[in-house]
Coordinates of all heavy atoms in Angstrom, one line a residue:
M1 N 138.2 43.1 64.8 CA 138.1 44.3 63.9 C 138.9 45.5 64.5 O 138.7 45.8 65.7 CB 136.7 44.7 63.7 CG 136.0 44.0 62.5 SD 134.7 44.9 61.8 CE 133.5 44.9 63.1
A2 N 139.8 46.0 63.7 CA 140.6 47.1 64.2 C 139.8 48.4 64.2 O 139.1 48.7 63.2 CB 141.8 47.3 63.3
Q3 N 139.9 49.1 65.3 CA 139.2 50.4 65.3 C 140.1 51.5 64.9 O 141.3 51.5 65.3 CB 138.7 50.6 66.7 CG 137.2 50.8 66.8 CD 136.7 51.4 68.1 OE1 137.4 51.3 69.1 NE2 135.5 52.0 68.0
K4 N 139.6 52.3 64.1 CA 140.5 53.5 63.6 C 140.7 54.4 64.8 O 139.8 54.8 65.5 CB 139.7 54.2 62.5 CG 140.5 54.3 61.2 CD 139.8 55.2 60.3 CE 140.5 55.2 58.9 NZ 139.8 56.1 58.0
L5 N 142.0 54.8 64.9 CA 142.3 55.8 65.9 C 141.8 57.1 65.4 O 141.9 57.5 64.3 CB 143.8 55.9 66.1 CG 144.5 54.9 66.9 CD1 146.0 55.0 66.9 CD2 144.0 54.9 68.4
H6 N 141.1 57.8 66.3 CA 140.7 59.2 65.9 C 141.1 60.2 67.0 O 141.1 59.9 68.1 CB 139.2 59.2 65.7 CG 138.4 58.9 66.9 ND1 138.1 57.7 67.3 CD2 137.8 59.8 67.8 CE1 137.4 57.8 68.4 NE2 137.2 59.0 68.7
Q7 N 141.4 61.3 66.5 CA 141.8 62.4 67.3 C 140.6 63.1 67.9 O 139.6 63.2 67.3 CB 142.5 63.5 66.5 CG 143.7 63.1 65.8 CD 144.5 64.4 65.4 OE1 145.1 65.1 66.3 NE2 144.5 64.7 64.2
P8 N 140.7 63.5 69.2 CA 139.5 64.2 69.7 C 139.3 65.5 69.0 O 140.3 66.2 68.8 CB 139.9 64.4 71.2 CG 141.3 64.0 71.4 CD 141.8 63.3 70.1
I9 N 138.1 65.8 68.7 CA 137.7 67.0 68.0 C 137.0 67.9 69.0 O 136.1 67.5 69.7 CB 136.8 66.7 66.8 CG1 137.5 65.7 65.8 CG2 136.4 68.0 66.1 CD1 138.8 66.2 65.2
R10 N 137.4 69.2 69.0 CA 136.7 70.2 69.9 C 136.3 71.4 69.1 O 136.9 71.7 68.0 CB 137.6 70.6 71.0 CG 138.0 69.4 71.9 CD 136.8 69.0 72.8 NE 137.2 67.9 73.7 CZ 137.1 66.6 73.4 NH1 136.6 66.2 72.2 NH2 137.4 65.7 74.3
M11 N 135.4 72.1 69.6 CA 134.9 73.3 68.9 C 135.4 74.6 69.5 O 135.5 74.8 70.7 CB 133.3 73.3 69.0 CG 132.7 74.4 68.1 SD 130.9 74.3 68.2 CE 130.7 75.1 69.9
C12 N 135.8 75.5 68.6 CA 136.3 76.8 69.0 C 135.1 77.6 69.4 O 134.1 77.7 68.6 CB 137.0 77.5 67.9 SG 137.3 79.2 68.1
V13 N 135.1 78.2 70.6 CA 133.9 79.0 71.1 C 133.6 80.2 70.3 O 132.5 80.8 70.3 CB 133.9 79.3 72.6 CG1 133.9 78.1 73.4 CG2 135.2 80.2 72.9
V14 N 134.6 80.7 69.5 CA 134.5 81.9 68.8 C 133.9 81.7 67.4 O 132.8 82.2 67.1 CB 135.8 82.7 68.7 CG1 135.6 84.0 68.0 CG2 136.3 83.0 70.1
C15 N 134.6 80.9 66.6 CA 134.2 80.7 65.2 C 133.3 79.5 65.1 O 132.6 79.2 64.1 CB 135.3 80.6 64.3 SG 136.4 79.2 64.6
R16 N 133.2 78.7 66.2 CA 132.4 77.5 66.2 C 132.8 76.4 65.2 O 132.0 75.5 64.9 CB 130.9 77.8 66.2 CG 130.5 78.9 67.2 CD 129.0 79.1 67.2 NE 128.3 78.0 67.9 CZ 128.2 77.9 69.2 NH1 128.8 78.8 70.0 NH2 127.5 77.0 69.7
E17 N 134.0 76.5 64.7 CA 134.5 75.4 63.8 C 135.1 74.4 64.7 O 135.6 74.6 65.8 CB 135.5 76.0 62.9 CG 134.8 76.8 61.8 CD 135.7 77.1 60.6 OE1 136.3 76.1 60.1 OE2 135.7 78.2 60.2
R18 N 135.2 73.2 64.1 CA 135.8 72.0 64.8 C 137.2 71.8 64.4 O 137.5 71.8 63.2 CB 134.9 70.8 64.6 CG 133.6 70.9 65.4 CD 132.5 70.0 64.9 NE 131.2 70.6 65.3 CZ 130.7 70.4 66.5 NH1 131.3 69.7 67.4 NH2 129.5 71.0 66.8
F19 N 138.0 71.5 65.4 CA 139.4 71.2 65.1 C 139.9 70.1 66.0 O 139.3 69.8 67.0 CB 140.3 72.5 65.5 CG 139.9 73.7 64.7 CD1 139.0 74.6 65.3 CD2 140.5 74.0 63.5 CE1 138.7 75.8 64.6 CE2 140.2 75.2 62.8 CZ 139.3 76.1 63.4
A20 N 141.1 69.5 65.6 CA 141.7 68.5 66.5 C 142.1 69.3 67.8 O 142.6 70.4 67.7 CB 142.9 68.0 65.8
Q21 N 141.8 68.6 68.9 CA 142.0 69.2 70.2 C 143.4 69.7 70.4 O 143.7 70.7 71.0 CB 141.6 68.2 71.3 CG 141.8 68.7 72.7 CD 141.4 67.6 73.7 OE1 140.8 66.7 73.4 NE2 141.8 67.8 74.9
V22 N 144.4 69.0 69.9 CA 145.8 69.3 70.1 C 146.2 70.7 69.6 O 147.1 71.3 70.1 CB 146.8 68.3 69.5 CG1 146.8 67.0 70.3 CG2 146.4 68.0 68.0
G23 N 145.5 71.2 68.5 CA 145.9 72.5 68.0 C 145.2 73.7 68.6 O 145.4 74.8 68.2
L24 N 144.3 73.4 69.6 CA 143.5 74.5 70.2 C 144.1 74.9 71.5 O 144.8 74.2 72.2 CB 142.1 74.0 70.4 CG 141.3 73.6 69.1 CD1 140.0 72.9 69.5 CD2 141.0 74.9 68.3
L25 N 143.7 76.2 71.8 CA 144.1 76.7 73.2 C 143.0 76.2 74.1 O 141.8 76.4 73.8 CB 144.0 78.2 73.2 CG 145.1 79.0 72.5 CD1 144.7 80.4 72.3 CD2 146.4 78.9 73.3
R26 N 143.4 75.7 75.2 CA 142.4 75.2 76.2 C 142.4 76.2 77.4 O 143.5 76.4 78.0 CB 142.7 73.8 76.7 CG 141.5 73.3 77.5 CD 141.7 71.8 77.8 NE 140.5 71.2 78.3 CZ 140.4 70.0 78.7 NH1 141.4 69.2 78.7 NH2 139.2 69.5 79.2
L27 N 141.3 76.8 77.6 CA 141.2 77.8 78.6 C 140.2 77.6 79.7 O 139.3 76.7 79.4 CB 140.9 79.2 77.9 CG 141.8 79.6 76.8 CD1 141.2 80.7 76.0 CD2 143.2 80.1 77.4
Q28 N 140.2 78.3 80.8 CA 139.1 78.2 81.7 C 139.0 79.5 82.5 O 140.0 80.3 82.4 CB 139.3 77.0 82.6 CG 140.3 77.1 83.7 CD 140.4 75.9 84.6 OE1 141.4 75.6 85.2 NE2 139.3 75.1 84.7
C29 N 137.9 79.7 83.1 CA 137.8 80.9 83.9 C 137.6 80.5 85.3 O 136.9 79.6 85.7 CB 136.5 81.6 83.5 SG 136.6 82.2 81.8
R30 N 138.4 81.2 86.2 CA 138.3 81.0 87.6 C 138.0 82.3 88.3 O 138.8 83.2 88.1 CB 139.5 80.4 88.2 CG 139.4 78.8 88.2 CD 140.7 78.2 88.7 NE 141.6 77.8 87.7 CZ 142.9 77.7 87.8 NH1 143.5 77.9 88.9 NH2 143.6 77.2 86.7
N31 N 136.9 82.4 88.9 CA 136.4 83.6 89.6 C 136.5 84.8 88.6 O 137.0 85.9 89.0 CB 137.3 83.9 90.8 CG 137.3 82.7 91.8 OD1 136.3 82.1 92.0 ND2 138.5 82.4 92.3
G32 N 136.0 84.6 87.4 CA 135.9 85.7 86.5 C 137.3 86.0 85.8 O 137.3 86.9 85.0
K33 N 138.3 85.3 86.1 CA 139.6 85.5 85.5 C 140.0 84.4 84.5 O 139.7 83.2 84.8 CB 140.7 85.5 86.6 CG 140.5 86.6 87.6 CD 141.5 87.7 87.4 CE 141.5 88.7 88.6 NZ 140.6 89.9 88.3
L34 N 140.5 84.8 83.4 CA 140.9 83.8 82.4 C 142.2 83.1 82.8 O 143.2 83.8 83.2 CB 141.0 84.5 81.1 CG 141.2 83.7 79.8 CD1 140.0 82.9 79.5 CD2 141.6 84.6 78.6
E35 N 142.3 81.8 82.6 CA 143.5 81.0 83.0 C 143.7 79.9 81.9 O 142.7 79.5 81.3 CB 143.3 80.4 84.3 CG 143.1 81.3 85.5 CD 144.3 82.1 85.9 OE1 145.4 81.8 85.4 OE2 144.1 83.1 86.6
P36 N 144.9 79.5 81.8 CA 145.1 78.3 81.0 C 144.4 77.1 81.8 O 144.3 77.2 83.0 CB 146.6 78.1 81.0 CG 147.2 79.2 81.7 CD 146.2 80.0 82.4
Y37 N 144.0 76.1 81.1 CA 143.3 75.0 81.8 C 144.2 74.3 82.8 O 145.4 74.0 82.4 CB 142.8 74.0 80.7 CG 142.1 72.8 81.4 CD1 140.9 73.0 82.1 CD2 142.6 71.5 81.3 CE1 140.3 72.0 82.6 CE2 142.0 70.5 81.8 CZ 140.8 70.7 82.5 OH 140.1 69.6 83.1
G38 N 143.7 74.2 84.0 CA 144.5 73.5 85.0 C 144.2 72.0 84.9 O 144.2 71.4 83.9
K39 N 143.7 71.4 86.0 CA 143.5 70.0 85.9 C 142.0 69.7 86.2 O 141.5 68.5 86.0 CB 144.3 69.2 87.0 CG 145.7 69.1 86.5 CD 146.5 68.1 87.4 CE 147.9 67.8 86.9 NZ 148.8 68.9 87.2
E40 N 141.3 70.6 86.6 CA 139.8 70.4 86.8 C 139.0 71.6 86.5 O 139.5 72.7 86.3 CB 139.6 69.9 88.3 CG 140.2 70.8 89.3 CD 140.1 70.3 90.7 OE1 140.4 69.0 90.9 OE2 139.7 71.0 91.6
G41 N 137.7 71.3 86.5 CA 136.8 72.4 86.2 C 136.4 72.4 84.7 O 136.8 71.6 83.9
R42 N 135.5 73.3 84.4 CA 135.0 73.5 83.1 C 136.0 74.2 82.3 O 136.6 75.2 82.7 CB 133.7 74.3 83.3 CG 132.8 74.3 82.1 CD 131.5 75.0 82.4 NE 130.9 75.4 81.2 CZ 131.1 76.5 80.5 NH1 131.9 77.4 81.0 NH2 130.5 76.8 79.4
S43 N 136.2 73.8 81.0 CA 137.1 74.5 80.2 C 136.5 74.7 78.8 O 135.4 74.2 78.5 CB 138.4 73.6 80.0 OG 138.1 72.4 79.3
F44 N 137.1 75.6 78.0 CA 136.6 75.8 76.7 C 137.8 75.9 75.8 O 138.9 76.1 76.2 CB 135.7 77.0 76.6 CG 136.3 78.3 77.0 CD1 136.8 79.2 76.1 CD2 136.4 78.7 78.4 CE1 137.4 80.4 76.5 CE2 137.0 79.9 78.8 CZ 137.5 80.7 77.8
Y45 N 137.6 75.9 74.5 CA 138.6 75.9 73.5 C 138.5 77.0 72.5 O 137.4 77.5 72.2 CB 138.6 74.6 72.7 CG 138.9 73.3 73.4 CD1 137.9 72.7 74.1 CD2 140.2 72.9 73.5 CE1 138.2 71.6 74.9 CE2 140.5 71.7 74.3 CZ 139.5 71.1 74.9 OH 139.7 70.0 75.7
M46 N 139.7 77.5 72.1 CA 139.7 78.5 71.1 C 140.8 78.2 70.1 O 141.8 77.7 70.4 CB 140.1 79.8 71.8 CG 139.2 81.0 71.6 SD 139.9 82.4 72.3 CE 140.8 83.0 70.9
C47 N 140.5 78.5 68.8 CA 141.6 78.3 67.8 C 142.4 79.5 67.7 O 142.0 80.6 68.1 CB 141.0 77.9 66.5 SG 140.2 79.2 65.6
R48 N 143.7 79.3 67.3 CA 144.6 80.4 67.3 C 144.3 81.5 66.3 O 144.6 82.7 66.5 CB 146.0 79.9 67.1 CG 146.5 79.3 68.3 CD 147.8 78.5 68.1 NE 148.2 77.8 69.3 CZ 148.9 78.3 70.3 NH1 149.4 79.5 70.2 NH2 149.2 77.6 71.4
S49 N 143.5 81.1 65.2 CA 143.2 82.2 64.3 C 142.1 83.1 64.8 O 141.8 84.1 64.2 CB 142.9 81.5 62.9 OG 142.0 80.5 63.1
C50 N 141.5 82.7 65.9 CA 140.4 83.6 66.4 C 140.9 84.6 67.5 O 140.1 85.4 68.0 CB 139.3 82.7 67.1 SG 138.2 82.1 65.8
I51 N 142.2 84.6 67.7 CA 142.7 85.5 68.7 C 142.3 87.0 68.5 O 142.0 87.7 69.4 CB 144.3 85.3 68.9 CG1 144.5 83.9 69.5 CG2 144.9 86.4 69.8 CD1 145.9 83.4 69.3
E52 N 142.4 87.4 67.2 CA 142.1 88.7 66.8 C 140.6 88.9 66.3 O 140.3 89.9 65.7 CB 143.1 89.2 65.8 CG 144.5 89.2 66.2 CD 144.9 90.2 67.3 OE1 144.1 91.2 67.5 OE2 146.0 90.0 67.9
H53 N 139.9 87.8 66.4 CA 138.5 87.9 65.9 C 137.7 88.9 66.7 O 137.8 89.1 67.9 CB 137.9 86.5 66.1 CG 136.7 86.2 65.3 ND1 135.5 86.8 65.5 CD2 136.5 85.4 64.2 CE1 134.6 86.4 64.6 NE2 135.2 85.5 63.8
K54 N 136.8 89.6 66.0 CA 136.0 90.6 66.6 C 135.0 90.1 67.7 O 134.6 90.8 68.6 CB 135.3 91.5 65.6 CG 134.2 90.8 64.8 CD 133.6 91.8 63.8 CE 132.3 91.3 63.1 NZ 132.3 90.0 62.5
K55 N 134.7 88.8 67.6 CA 133.8 88.2 68.6 C 134.5 87.7 69.8 O 133.8 87.3 70.8 CB 133.0 87.0 67.9 CG 132.0 87.4 67.0 CD 131.2 86.2 66.5 CE 130.1 86.5 65.6 NZ 129.6 85.2 65.0
T56 N 135.8 87.7 69.8 CA 136.6 87.1 70.9 C 136.3 87.8 72.3 O 136.0 87.1 73.2 CB 138.1 87.0 70.6 OG1 138.2 86.2 69.4 CG2 138.9 86.4 71.7
P57 N 136.4 89.1 72.3 CA 136.1 89.7 73.6 C 134.7 89.4 74.2 O 134.6 89.0 75.4 CB 136.2 91.2 73.4 CG 137.1 91.3 72.1 CD 136.7 90.1 71.3
G58 N 133.8 89.3 73.3 CA 132.4 89.0 73.8 C 132.3 87.6 74.3 O 131.6 87.3 75.2
Q59 N 133.0 86.7 73.6 CA 132.9 85.3 74.0 C 133.6 85.0 75.3 O 133.2 84.3 76.1 CB 133.5 84.4 72.9 CG 132.6 84.0 71.7 CD 131.3 83.3 72.2 OE1 131.3 82.6 73.2 NE2 130.2 83.6 71.5
L60 N 134.8 85.7 75.5 CA 135.5 85.6 76.7 C 134.7 86.1 77.9 O 134.6 85.5 78.9 CB 136.9 86.3 76.7 CG 137.9 85.7 75.7 CD1 139.2 86.6 75.8 CD2 138.2 84.3 76.0
S61 N 134.0 87.2 77.6 CA 133.2 87.8 78.6 C 132.0 86.9 79.0 O 131.7 86.7 80.2 CB 132.7 89.1 78.0 OG 131.5 89.5 78.6
R62 N 131.5 86.2 78.0 CA 130.4 85.3 78.2 C 130.9 84.1 79.0 O 130.3 83.6 80.0 CB 129.9 84.8 76.9 CG 128.4 84.5 76.9 CD 127.9 84.2 75.6 NE 127.4 82.8 75.5 CZ 126.8 82.3 74.5 NH1 126.7 83.0 73.4 NH2 126.4 81.1 74.6
Q63 N 132.0 83.5 78.6 CA 132.6 82.3 79.3 C 132.9 82.6 80.7 O 132.7 81.8 81.6 CB 133.9 81.8 78.6 CG 133.6 81.3 77.2 CD 132.8 80.0 77.2 OE1 132.9 79.2 78.1 NE2 132.1 79.8 76.1
C64 N 133.5 83.8 81.0 CA 133.9 84.2 82.3 C 132.9 84.9 83.1 O 133.2 85.3 84.2 CB 135.2 85.0 82.2 SG 136.6 84.1 81.6
K65 N 131.8 85.2 82.5 CA 130.7 86.0 83.2 C 131.3 87.2 83.8 O 131.1 87.6 84.9 CB 130.0 85.1 84.3 CG 129.3 83.9 83.7 CD 128.7 83.1 84.7 CE 127.9 81.9 84.2 NZ 128.8 80.9 83.5
S66 N 132.1 87.9 83.0 CA 132.7 89.1 83.4 C 132.7 90.2 82.3 O 132.8 89.8 81.1 CB 134.2 88.8 83.7 OG 135.0 90.0 83.7
G67 N 132.4 91.4 82.6 CA 132.4 92.4 81.6 C 133.7 93.1 81.3 O 133.8 94.0 80.5
A68 N 134.8 92.6 82.0 CA 136.1 93.3 81.9 C 136.8 92.7 80.6 O 137.8 92.0 80.7 CB 136.9 93.0 83.1
T69 N 136.3 93.1 79.4 CA 136.8 92.5 78.2 C 138.2 92.9 77.9 O 139.0 92.1 77.4 CB 135.9 92.9 77.0 OG1 135.7 94.3 77.0 CG2 134.6 92.2 77.0
V70 N 138.6 94.1 78.2 CA 140.0 94.5 78.0 C 141.0 93.7 78.8 O 142.0 93.2 78.3 CB 140.2 96.1 78.3 CG1 141.7 96.4 78.1 CG2 139.4 96.9 77.3
E71 N 140.6 93.5 80.1 CA 141.4 92.7 81.0 C 141.5 91.2 80.5 O 142.6 90.6 80.4 CB 140.7 92.7 82.3 CG 141.7 92.7 83.5 CD 140.9 92.8 84.8 OE1 140.6 94.0 85.1 OE2 140.6 91.8 85.4
L72 N 140.3 90.7 80.0 CA 140.3 89.3 79.5 C 141.2 89.2 78.3 O 141.9 88.2 78.1 CB 138.8 88.9 79.2 CG 137.9 88.8 80.4 CD1 136.5 88.6 80.0 CD2 138.3 87.5 81.3
M73 N 141.1 90.2 77.4 CA 141.9 90.1 76.2 C 143.4 90.2 76.5 O 144.2 89.5 75.9 CB 141.5 91.2 75.2 CG 140.2 90.9 74.5 SD 140.1 89.3 73.6 CE 141.2 89.7 72.2
N74 N 143.8 91.0 77.4 CA 145.2 91.2 77.8 C 145.7 89.8 78.4 O 146.8 89.4 78.1 CB 145.4 92.3 78.8 CG 145.3 93.6 78.2 OD1 145.4 93.8 76.9 ND2 145.0 94.7 79.0
R75 N 144.8 89.2 79.2 CA 145.2 88.0 79.8 C 145.3 86.9 78.8 O 146.2 86.1 78.8 CB 144.1 87.6 80.9 CG 144.4 86.4 81.6 CD 145.5 86.6 82.6 NE 145.8 85.3 83.2 CZ 147.0 84.7 83.2 NH1 148.0 85.3 82.6 NH2 147.2 83.5 83.8
L76 N 144.4 86.9 77.8 CA 144.5 85.9 76.7 C 145.8 86.0 76.0 O 146.5 85.0 75.7 CB 143.4 86.2 75.7 CG 143.4 85.3 74.4 CD1 143.2 83.8 74.8 CD2 142.3 85.8 73.4
K77 N 146.3 87.2 75.7 CA 147.6 87.4 75.0 C 148.7 87.0 75.9 O 149.7 86.4 75.4 CB 147.7 88.9 74.6 CG 146.8 89.1 73.3 CD 146.6 90.5 72.9 CE 145.5 90.5 71.9 NZ 145.0 91.9 71.6
E78 N 148.7 87.2 77.2 CA 149.7 86.7 78.1 C 149.8 85.2 78.1 O 150.8 84.6 78.0 CB 149.3 87.1 79.5 CG 149.9 88.3 80.1 CD 149.4 88.6 81.5 OE1 149.2 87.7 82.3 OE2 149.1 89.8 81.7
I79 N 148.6 84.6 78.1 CA 148.5 83.1 78.1 C 149.1 82.6 76.8 O 149.9 81.6 76.8 CB 147.1 82.6 78.3 CG1 146.6 82.9 79.7 CG2 146.9 81.1 78.0 CD1 145.1 82.7 79.9
I80 N 148.9 83.2 75.7 CA 149.4 82.8 74.4 C 150.9 82.9 74.4 O 151.6 82.0 73.9 CB 148.8 83.5 73.3 CG1 147.3 83.2 73.1 CG2 149.5 83.3 71.9 CD1 146.4 84.2 72.5
V81 N 151.4 84.0 74.9 CA 152.9 84.2 74.9 C 153.5 83.1 75.8 O 154.5 82.5 75.4 CB 153.2 85.6 75.5 CG1 154.7 85.8 75.8 CG2 152.8 86.7 74.5
N82 N 153.0 82.8 76.9 CA 153.5 81.8 77.8 C 153.4 80.4 77.3 O 154.2 79.6 77.6 CB 152.8 81.9 79.2 CG 153.1 83.1 79.9 OD1 154.1 83.8 79.7 ND2 152.2 83.5 80.9
D83 N 152.4 80.2 76.4 CA 152.2 79.0 75.8 C 153.1 78.7 74.7 O 153.3 77.5 74.3 CB 150.7 79.0 75.3 CG 150.2 77.6 75.0 OD1 150.2 76.8 75.9 OD2 149.7 77.3 73.9
G84 N 153.8 79.7 74.2 CA 154.7 79.6 73.1 C 154.1 79.6 71.7 O 153.6 78.8 71.2
Ligands
LIG1 ZN1 138.1 79.9 66.0

């Protein structure tokens, strides 16, 4: 019996909707700083339409256990620019 190929689905931490993993930003926090996902450690996903979402600073703050939301948001935008 042929098994259907399925794309991995992940949830955006901001809107909590599920998307194909390939279309999501994969991020992680290291020592309270936001980074693109490296090769190890805990990561989380965000969809691109949530970049300007009002809940995004709060979610980043929660993920990174850091209250520096302005810094986290600036870093997020840098990561997106570098990501293309
Ligand atoms: Zn989202």
